[in-house]
Amino acid sequence: MKAHISSLIQYLTNKDFSGLLTHYQRCDVHQQIDILAFVYQQSLKSLSVFEFYQHIATKLIQSNGLPELIIQQINTADALSFFTPALQCDSHFSKTNELKRNVVHYLLAGDTPPFNYLRSLLLFESNEHLAQALCQRDCKNLTPIEVYLRINKQFSPLAPHEFNALLALMEAEQTFNPANRHNLTDTLKQVAKHLQQQVLILDDQIERIGLIGAYYGLTAKQVYQAI
């Protein structure tokens, strides 16, 4: 076991939270990510300890900021749920990495984008930085929703509540950030490529085609004809 993880366990065992914070702050960024990953994995072992480890992770991130290298690792609904309190601190939802991507970019590129959870955060929490994150463009000029539309390779229909949540997120984004149609052509090319690789029939009944239309203000038929 790595020395910094052994020290972490010792501080937790002794309930020395002040010492734990000092230890974390003295670690380099890779060790800090190890510590956050360890705490996250511990939280998954039982619901009874989830809040305890979530509180620890939040305090650690509050003390030293969100490590840039962890942004792309928060890419599942479980990880988002665990790190939400930390992300709500100090505008971490909108913090970006070297690719100019924030946590939401990676969440929507993942296998199961948590659209409904994100929508709930927007509706019921004070998350102006989440709204800002939805509008941020990465190094390829893509918002998180555009990353989903272009890059995500999961083409099974979304559950109705997730589908409706995605439409709501589109509306929320475009209230502040009108869609950039210059991205449409490359998005269509990439989606057509993904479908071909998966030997899926490309037609206007594919849900993603309709979603692309909804985002860019076109009908599914218009999108299909543009491919």
Side-chain angles (χ1 to χ4, degrees):
M1 182 178 289
K2 297 177 181 178
H4 55 280
I5 298 298
S6 295
S7 296
L8 164 68
I9 293 171
Q10 190 65 43
Y11 286 119
L12 288 172
T13 300
N14 294 335
K15 297 183 179 180
D16 182 0
F17 301 117
S18 176
L20 173 57
L21 282 176
T22 300
H23 168 62
Y24 178 80
Q25 291 168 344
R26 288 175 177 170
C27 288
D28 65 35
V29 66
H30 298 287
Q31 292 170 334
Q32 289 178 349
I33 289 174
D34 280 348
I35 288 172
L36 292 172
F38 178 85
V39 171
Y40 170 57
Q41 291 300 322
Q42 293 301 113
S43 78
L44 299 178
K45 292 184 176 181
S46 170
L47 283 175
S48 64
V49 299
F50 180 87
E51 287 190 9
F52 171 77
Y53 285 109
Q54 184 184 58
H55 180 72
I56 293 294
T58 301
K59 290 297 184 183
L60 294 177
I61 290 172
Q62 282 180 323
S63 75
N64 213 55
L66 183 73
E68 183 178 307
L69 293 176
I70 206 173
I71 290 174
Q72 69 184 76
Q73 297 180 36
I74 304 176
N75 56 13
T76 65
D78 285 343
L80 174 60
S81 176
F82 179 78
F83 285 106
T84 289
L87 292 170
Q88 290 173 320
C89 299
D90 301 322
S91 68
H92 287 144
F93 262 118
S94 56
K95 182 172 181 176
T96 58
N97 62 13
E98 61 181 4
L99 298 177
K100 296 185 178 179
R101 287 188 172 179
N102 59 48
V103 165
V104 187
H105 281 100
Y106 289 101
L107 286 164
L108 300 197
D111 290 343
T112 311
F115 297 120
N116 197 50
Y117 186 92
L118 290 169
R119 182 194 184 195
S120 296
L121 287 177
L122 278 178
L123 287 175
F124 303 115
E125 303 282 348
S126 177
N127 276 309
E128 61 271 16
H129 295 295
L130 175 55
Q132 180 183 342
L134 276 173
C135 297
Q136 285 178 311
R137 296 188 179 277
D138 67 8
C139 62
K140 294 185 178 180
N141 201 37
L142 301 176
T143 67
I145 290 175
E146 286 181 298
V147 164
Y148 168 74
L149 295 174
R150 181 183 296 191
I151 295 175
N152 196 290
K153 296 182 180 181
Q154 302 300 316
F155 289 97
S156 299
L158 296 169
H161 66 284
E162 296 289 351
F163 182 88
N164 291 331
L166 173 54
L167 293 180
L169 291 174
M170 288 183 185
E171 182 178 355
E173 178 202 318
Q174 294 185 6
T175 299
F176 305 100
N177 189 46
N180 182 357
R181 283 205 183 178
H182 292 297
N183 290 334
L184 177 59
T185 300
D186 286 341
T187 293
L188 295 179
K189 288 179 180 178
Q190 193 64 46
V191 169
K193 181 180 178 181
H194 291 328
L195 290 168
Q196 184 179 34
Q197 289 172 341
Q198 297 182 40
V199 198
L200 295 173
I201 297 173
L202 174 59
D203 60 34
D204 58 5
Q205 299 304 306
I206 295 286
E207 183 179 81
R208 185 73 57 82
I209 300 301
L211 287 168
I212 291 171
Y215 186 84
Y216 291 105
L218 302 169
T219 66
K221 186 174 183 179
Q222 287 173 320
V223 173
Y224 174 66
Q225 291 173 340
I227 296 176

